[in-house]
């Protein structure tokens, strides 16, 4: 009886294996059984609570500037970005060289300063030579030529000269005096020519130390002018203006 049952079980198993198909190839994995699909009803969870806030867009977010399409602004220039400019060096102008060792006074100066300038111009240009010639050249200047004062030049020798106190003026080899013909005008001038090698500065100082602006009893000169050029000395006492 047992043998019959065992034989029956073996036959059933052989039949089942034949019905299921060929056995899987060796080495291939056996597929796992797929569970049957179960239909579940759509159930919405009933959860009560506050609704989630809507998402903020860039236009609604505080502190966020929305992007605007357009040309980008040029970057600000910094000192390092400034273009380099070559500035040419400015060379200082050389001062003009004076043609004369002493410049004449500006227009509108006093009589003494104007005639001093005329003397320097005459000596520099060499337009006159000798004491009397230089004196006459000074008298021919525009200032004196247009004045109402009549002046004249004359040669002199060493000794007591008009305009100086009781001191003899000597030490010159040639001299000339120019003055008005009327003695009441405080105007007197001299041109002295000294020998070569003479002490010109000492001679000019002697004139200045002994001159008297009140040599004329009635009137007084306003200014005294002493100028030297080489071995020639120009001396003048005169009013500041010839007008009036």
């Amino acid at each position: 009886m047992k043998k019959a049952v065992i034989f029956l079980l073996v036959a059933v198993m052989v039949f089942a294996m034949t019905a299921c198909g060929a056995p899987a190839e060796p080495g291939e994995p056996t597929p796992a059984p797929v569970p049957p699909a179960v239909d579940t009803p759509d159930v919405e969870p009933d959860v009560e609570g506050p609704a989630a806030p809507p998402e903020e867009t860039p236009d609604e977010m505080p502190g966020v500037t929305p992007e605007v399409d357009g040309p980008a602004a040029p970057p600000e220039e910094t000192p390092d970005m400034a273009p380099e400019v070559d500035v040419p060096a400015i060379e200082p102008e050389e001062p003009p060289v004076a043609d004369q060792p002493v410049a004449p006074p500006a227009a509108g100066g006093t009589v003494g300063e104007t005639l001093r300038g005329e003397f320097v111009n005459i000596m520099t240009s060499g337009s006159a030579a000798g004491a009397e010639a230089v004196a006459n050249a000074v008298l021919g200047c525009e200032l004196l030529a247009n004045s109402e004062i009549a002046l004249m030049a004359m040669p002199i020798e060493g000794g007591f000269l008009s305009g100086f106190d009781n001191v003899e003026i000597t030490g010159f080899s040639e001299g000339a005096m120019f003055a008005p013909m009327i003695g009441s005008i405080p105007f007197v001038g001299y041109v002295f020519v000294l020998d070569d090698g003479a002490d010109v500065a000492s001679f000019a100082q002697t004139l200045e130390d002994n001159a008297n602006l009140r040599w004329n009893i009635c009137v007084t000169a306003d200014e005294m002018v002493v100028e030297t050029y080489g071995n020639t000395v120009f001396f003048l006492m005169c009013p500041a203006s010839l007008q009036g």
Side-chain angles (χ1 to χ4, degrees):
M1 185 65 180
K2 290 182 182 180
K3 291 182 180 180
V5 174
I6 292 172
F7 179 78
L8 180 60
L9 290 174
V10 172
V12 171
M13 291 175 63
V14 171
F15 178 78
M17 290 176 64
T18 305
C20 291
E25 293 292 333
E28 292 183 3
T30 303
V34 179
V38 180
D39 294 334
T40 57
D42 296 335
V43 179
E44 296 182 359
D46 188 7
V47 180
E48 295 183 1
E55 294 183 1
E56 294 183 355
T57 62
D59 294 338
E60 297 176 352
M61 294 178 64
V64 178
T65 303
E67 295 182 359
V68 179
D69 295 338
E76 296 183 359
E77 291 187 358
T78 61
D80 295 336
M81 298 173 60
E84 296 182 359
V85 179
D86 295 334
V87 179
I90 301 176
E91 298 181 358
E93 297 182 358
E94 296 182 359
V97 179
D99 296 335
Q100 303 174 0
V102 180
T110 64
V111 174
E113 288 303 311
T114 301
L115 297 184
R116 180 192 68 85
E118 293 293 337
F119 166 74
V120 173
N121 286 337
I122 294 168
M123 298 302 297
T124 303
S125 63
S127 58
E132 188 174 3
V134 172
N136 283 316
V138 172
L139 294 180
C141 71
E142 182 179 358
L143 175 65
L144 297 181
N146 295 334
S147 69
E148 298 179 356
I149 302 175
L151 298 107
M152 61 178 297
M154 63 186 74
I156 58 172
E157 295 180 355
F160 294 101
L161 301 178
S162 177
F164 298 95
D165 290 332
N166 296 326
V167 175
E168 292 188 7
I169 304 300
T170 59
F172 58 92
S173 59
E174 185 182 351
M177 172 185 174
F178 56 98
M181 297 180 181
I182 301 175
S184 60
I185 301 175
F187 187 108
V188 62
Y190 294 93
V191 177
F192 301 97
V193 179
L194 280 62
D195 293 330
D196 293 338
D199 191 347
V200 177
S202 177
F203 180 85
Q205 188 64 47
T206 299
L207 298 177
E208 188 174 353
D209 292 342
N210 293 279
N212 183 3
L213 292 174
R214 294 181 61 87
W215 87 95
N216 195 321
I217 299 175
C218 301
V219 291
T220 304
D222 296 324
E223 58 184 339
M224 178 192 308
V225 176
V226 181
E227 184 65 65
T228 62
Y229 190 96
N231 63 334
T232 303
V233 180
F234 175 81
F235 178 87
L236 175 66
M237 289 189 292
C238 63
S241 174
L242 298 179
Q243 297 178 357

